[in-house]
């Protein structure tokens, strides 16, 4: 049941809480087409901030943006059979346009490899043309049966990187580099700790040699794949015959990668930090880092507090802080506090007549760390610098809190299958266990527990004493991270 503020508590029904917060924080709403969502301005601003940060990191690693068409001829998908099989059930196909049946149906891109590679075969002639380092910001369509706002929608926004290289080593290096870029973004901007690692064969991207992923743990102890980076080997080059002439005059196939993150990250952000009062946004991705709420009773006070609020706004903007003055009339301050809490604004500033007289403002944090004061009076003089520092602290505390939560929901060294089954049915969370490496065993555990192998984690995450047995009792070949996941 929703509490007095119209939100179902997380502990009661996390999924209801999620849907309500998406609505109430005005992040997204339904559209007439099932599975497609409208991203509202407040939600879209979060996406723009994500884009801005990621785009800068892509450019800093040598990539350029380009744009390729929304449609591809169906025959192009048929060229990479494995790839097409992976996407066939989810594709939307245009058979009629301009009032006539098309000679060749057009596929609405579910991803753009089959659009980009035929073009790259023209662009790439010699070793001098390599590497090609492209990124595209675009929408894609995958006809999903079950959808949820941001997490799984039929049409979604994303970026897809596509690169071509002269050697396997370079392609592998690029695949790992971009996985690292994603990890940095997720940890430093989203304040969301992730485990990076390799996907098993059954979870690999259709047509890839190797798929790496960033895996995060949401507040309901379910895992979420937040980003992937694929080493495509020579599969797409072979399918589309993309060769380059080496210095020795040989014509050889290029090596390629692709990597992507999507608006799913907004869902991840909501479920990493939010609480029963609503959204909690790390400052770096908050549309407003600070909201100023003026408090007044009569016109004279109104003038004073607005003048003070305006001074603070100007100071903060000069300091590069995103700030909004809530000047709504006919709404009491308490209602405004609730509203901005629900929308996850990291800091609010209350400016009342007494504050004006004392030449101060009252800062109130969305989340108060243990032992700290929730309300903090600050002198007007130099307020922007103090708030800038507070926001940086809040950013760091958000990551530390999310990391502590993940660690408390992580179990290592489990070998007993019934204990593992009990864990997945009750608390959930990340379980580091052994794996024999057999696909059949992986499938059996999935059927029994609805949990999957999220990744074979990178070295730094592995346990000092990894299990020697798989859950099936056979000797373990890999330590893996298992969880029920979105
Ligand atoms: Zn096994």
């Amino acid at each position: 049941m929703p509490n007095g503020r119209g939100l179902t508590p997380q502990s009661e029904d996390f999924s209801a809480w999620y849907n309500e917060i998406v609505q109430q924080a005005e992040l997204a709403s339904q559209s007439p087409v099932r599975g497609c969502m409208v991203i509202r301005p407040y939600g879209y601003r979060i996406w723009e901030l994500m884009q801005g940060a990621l785009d800068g990191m892509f450019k800093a690693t040598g990539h350029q943006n380009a744009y390729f068409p929304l449609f591809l001829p169906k025959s192009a998908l048929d060229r990479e059979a494995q790839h097409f099989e992976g996407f066939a059930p989810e594709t939307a196909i245009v058979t009629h346009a301009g009032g006539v049946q098309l000679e060749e149906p057009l596929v609405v891109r579910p991803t753009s490899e089959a659009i980009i590679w035929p073009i790259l075969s023209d662009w790439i002639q010699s070793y001098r043309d390599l590497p090609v380092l492209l990124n595209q910001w675009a929408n894609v369509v995958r006809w999903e049966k079950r959808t949820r706002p941001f997490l799984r929608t039929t049409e979604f926004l994303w970026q897809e990187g596509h690169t071509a290289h002269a050697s396997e080593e370079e392609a592998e290096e690029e695949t790992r580099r971009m996985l690292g870029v994603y990890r940095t973004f997720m940890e430093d901007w989203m304040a969301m700790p992730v485990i990076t690692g390799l996907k098993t064969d059954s979870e690999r991207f259709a047509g890839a040699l190797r798929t790496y992923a960033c895996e995060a743990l949401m507040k309901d102890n379910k895992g979420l794949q937040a980003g992937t980076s694929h080493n495509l080997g020579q599969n797409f080059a072979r399918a589309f015959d993309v060769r380059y002439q080496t210095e020795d005059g040989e014509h050889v196939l290029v090596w390629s990668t692709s990597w992507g993150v999507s608006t799913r990250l907004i869902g991840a952000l909501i479920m990493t930090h939010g609480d029963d009062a609503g959204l909690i946004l790390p400052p770096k991705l908050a549309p407003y880092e600070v909201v100023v709420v003026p408090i007044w009773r009569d016109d004279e006070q109104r003038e004073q507090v607005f003048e003070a609020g305006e001074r603070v706004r100007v100071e903060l903007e000069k300091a590069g802080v995103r700030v909004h003055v809530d000047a709504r009339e006919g709404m009491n301050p308490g209602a405004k506090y609730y509203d901005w809490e629900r929308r996850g604004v990291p800091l609010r500033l209350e400016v009342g007549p007494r504050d004006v007289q004392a030449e101060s403002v009252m800062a109130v944090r969305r989340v108060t760390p243990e032992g700290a004061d929730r309300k903090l009076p600050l002198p007007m003089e130099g307020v922007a610098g103090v708030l800038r520092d507070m926001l940086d602290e809040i950013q760091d505390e958000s990551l530390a809190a999310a990391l502590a939560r993940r660690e408390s929901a992580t179990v290592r060294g489990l070998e007993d299958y019934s204990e593992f089954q009990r864990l997945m049915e009750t608390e959930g969370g990340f379980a580091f266990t052994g794996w024999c490496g057999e696909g059949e065993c992986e499938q059996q555990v999935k059927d029994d527990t609805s949990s999957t192998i999220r990744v074979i984690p990178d070295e730094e995450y592995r346990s000092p004493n990894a299990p020697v047995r798989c859950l099936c009792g056979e000797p373990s070949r890999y330590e893996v991270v298992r969880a029920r996941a979105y």
Side-chain angles (χ1 to χ4, degrees), residues 434-442 445 469-476 482:
W435 181 42
C436 57
E438 295 299 324
E440 256 174 57
C441 166
E442 182 185 13
V445 175
R469 302 242 155 239
C470 175
L471 294 171
C472 67
E474 293 297 315
S476 169
R482 300 182 194 254

Side-chain angles (χ1 to χ4, degrees), residues 219-347:
K219 266 195 154 173
D220 60 349
N221 284 351
K222 278 170 80 173
L224 183 132
Q225 178 179 296
T228 47
S229 185
H230 316 288
N231 184 336
L232 303 174
Q234 292 178 307
N235 291 341
F236 286 87
R238 195 172 295 115
F240 296 99
D241 197 31
V242 185
R243 293 169 188 274
Y244 74 98
Q245 189 171 19
T246 65
E247 280 180 80
D248 305 331
E250 267 182 284
H251 287 83
V252 300
L253 294 170
V254 303
W255 298 81
S256 68
T257 82
S258 70
W259 29 274
V261 294
S262 71
T263 34
R264 178 171 236 221
L265 290 181
I266 297 176
L269 193 68
I270 299 168
M271 294 194 294
T272 294
H273 300 294
D275 67 10
D276 285 348
L279 207 58
I280 292 174
L281 294 172
K284 283 187 179 178
L285 295 176
Y288 306 125
E289 294 167 280
V290 174
V291 166
V292 179
V293 181
I295 305 160
W296 73 94
R297 285 227 173 76
D298 54 44
D299 284 353
E300 193 190 333
Q301 288 180 348
R302 186 181 183 283
E303 198 174 313
Q304 288 175 351
V305 296
F306 270 78
E307 190 268 333
E310 188 56 18
R311 262 162 57 205
V312 175
R313 185 187 68 78
V314 170
E315 287 290 308
L316 283 172
E317 275 183 359
K318 262 194 250 164
V321 176
R322 289 182 296 279
V323 54
H324 172 71
V325 179
D326 187 349
R328 285 178 286 184
E329 302 277 350
M331 188 173 179
N332 71 48
K336 290 182 179 178
Y337 302 163
Y338 284 147
D339 193 32
W340 294 115
E341 264 178 29
R342 193 162 46 213
R343 286 164 163 254
V345 173
L347 273 177

